[in-house]
């Protein structure tokens, strides 16, 4: 099976599609339109044909983007199975009830990797190195890393935050670089878990803050690296410029048994970019710190 990368001529969204599906689309349509809402662009081939599934699915896929178009439809409660792949033991499928979708930013699940979120440009070089003073502090004190709590991944983040989307909350409070959310956008705010779900965090108001897309990507990369490292604990301080709006995050990692500080990451909430090269750099820094 082979795939082709497609890129929108207007919004520059990139996604992969199986060649047989692309051929079917082209038989019935002269061109393939962009999947982003209200985008007038068309999808054009980019790069060489892909023969490895892992390469094709390392980023967004056409089927996934199309499925997002229906994300706001009401979903009746149904029974479905979730693989608890984040437990320390074997993968176990368990049935749970799905509630009606209440999150405007919700999308059908896909095998997730932070690589699906990377921007083309790397992190800016003029970002702040220290947390600003005088802002409201939201804090998750040293919390031991554990396996993901069953059912937390499926919870809507809007619900505990007053059923309000993060991007609209950020725009309302005048947060920097706060754009409107669309499936293809990379300049909007999202509800970020302070202690990530994959590290044992909960989807509660006390553990959520509106953060820029790039900031959330940064945190996802750190969580990806720390996942399963139960000998450590995380301590996250969020300096908020408005209620529940992250302006700066100090992400500290401690060794749990003696509370030794292993690494402190200063994350400027005004960042707009986080690339694959940034991921390599961050993971090398964490490894160098003994993590």
């Amino acid at each position: 099976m082979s795939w082709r990368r497609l890129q929108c001529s207007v919004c520059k969204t990139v996604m992969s599609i199986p060649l047989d599906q692309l051929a079917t689309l082209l038989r019935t349509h002269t061109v393939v339109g962009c999947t982003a809402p209200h985008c007038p662009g068309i999808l054009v081939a980019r790069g060489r044909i892909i023969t490895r599934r892992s390469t094709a699915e390392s980023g967004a896929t056409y089927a996934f983007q199309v499925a997002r178009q229906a994300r706001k439809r009401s979903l009746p409660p149904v029974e479905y199975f979730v693989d608890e792949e984040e437990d320390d033991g074997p993968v176990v499928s368990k049935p749970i009830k799905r509630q009606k979708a209440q999150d405007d930013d919700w999308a059908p699940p896909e095998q997730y990797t932070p690589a699906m979120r990377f921007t083309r440009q790397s992190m800016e070089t003029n970002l702040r190195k220290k947390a600003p003073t005088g802002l409201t502090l939201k804090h998750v004190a040293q919390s031991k890393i554990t396996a993901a709590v069953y059912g937390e991944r499926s919870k809507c983040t809007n619900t505990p935050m007053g059923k309000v989307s993060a991007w609209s909350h950020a725009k309302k409070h005048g947060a920097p670089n706060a754009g409107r959310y669309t499936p293809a956008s990379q300049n909007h705010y999202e509800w970020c878990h302070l202690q990530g779900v994959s590290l044992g965090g909960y989807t509660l108001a006390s553990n959520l803050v509106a953060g820029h897309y790039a900031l959330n990507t940064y945190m996802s990369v750190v969580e990806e690296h720390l996942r399963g490292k139960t000998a450590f604990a995380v301590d996250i301080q969020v300096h908020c410029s408005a209620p529940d709006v992250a302006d700066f995050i100090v992400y500290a990692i401690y060794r749990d048994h003696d509370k030794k500080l292993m690494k402190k990451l200063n994350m400027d909430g005004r960042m707009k970019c986080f690339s694959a090269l940034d991921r390599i750099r961050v993971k090398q820094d964490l490894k160098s710190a003994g993590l």
Side-chain angles (χ1 to χ4, degrees), residues 149-207:
V149 178
Y150 176 71
E152 285 300 308
R153 283 184 297 167
S154 62
K155 290 184 178 179
C156 168
T157 53
N158 285 359
T159 302
M161 305 308 291
K163 298 183 179 180
V164 175
S165 64
W167 70 263
S168 60
H169 179 75
K171 283 181 68 69
K172 175 183 176 181
H173 290 283
N177 310 313
R180 183 179 180 83
Y181 168 81
T182 69
S185 68
Q186 294 182 320
N187 196 39
H188 61 275
Y189 277 60
E190 303 170 324
W191 290 123
C192 309
H193 289 82
L194 277 65
Q195 181 180 4
V197 169
S198 63
L199 306 184
Y202 290 85
T203 306
L204 300 171
S206 58
N207 193 42

